[in-house]
Amino acid sequence: MLEYDFPLWRPPSEGDNLIIQATLGCRYNQCSFCSMYKTKTYRARSLDEVFADIDEAARDWPDAHRVFLADGDAYCLPTATLAAICDHLALRFPALQRISAYATPFDILGKGEDDIALLKSKRLGLVYLGIETGSDALLKRIAKGSARQMEAALAKARQCGLKVSATVILGLGGKTGWEAHMDETAELVSRAPPTYLSTLQLGLETNVAPRFFERFGEEFQWQDDRGVLVELRRLLERLDPPAPVIFRSNHASNALALAGNLPRDRDKLLARIDAALDEGAGVRPRWIRGF
């Protein structure tokens, strides 16, 4: 089996798929809430290294049909490099159907329409993007760009037919900023809907907590599970995407796991949240949650 450079992270939906490390660490690595790659120095691996891993994986798992390119934002690699990796994957995995990667809004905006189309033609047609929030004030505090950049990246991806699985962090605004967090996020997603939308619940590792609280100041107060569920309800209530969005809250950090299509299943999802708020129905105990 492959010898990965740990820690190794991937989206929940990629848990059963082959992971190939095209990069190590995250090129940006400045988000104040994120501890995923703080122990790594970013490096783009050479094609020889990546091809060697692909060849080894093909010997162990020749019928793999979905591949996730790690680490943090492999979509930042030059288009020619990504195309070469895609070609080698297609050569070694005859059943290959899909290639995916993490991306930042800057990665998407940095690719030309022809670049995105080329990579799509080589099966790299899905990226995972952390929106986190539609609030400019919160984005500034977590060092994650601006809502304008998020919206532009989402709009460009949709225009080019690039599927985006986007995430929002519940609890990010704390007890005082949650309404603006949810309202402005709903507005952003409604203007520029991704293909998939997921939520996760804020959690901080000890190696990033000081920086996070330094940027927020003493005013930040953690949301409890009830507060987070109220946030989630407000978000789903206000989302009005012009195209269907597949919604999930299946990340292990979430208090309540939901699945549906928006806006079609809005009422069903809101009823599930109401049952959780009224009776605790479906709320996951804290001991089984994590990142």
Side-chain angles (χ1 to χ4, degrees), residues 227 229 279:
L229 290 174
E279 309 159 13

Side-chain angles (χ1 to χ4, degrees), residues 166-186:
T167 54
V168 169
I169 301 179
L170 301 173
L172 188 62
K175 288 187 175 181
T176 59
W178 72 271
E179 291 171 308
H181 173 28
M182 290 297 95
D183 291 352
E184 293 175 48
T185 300

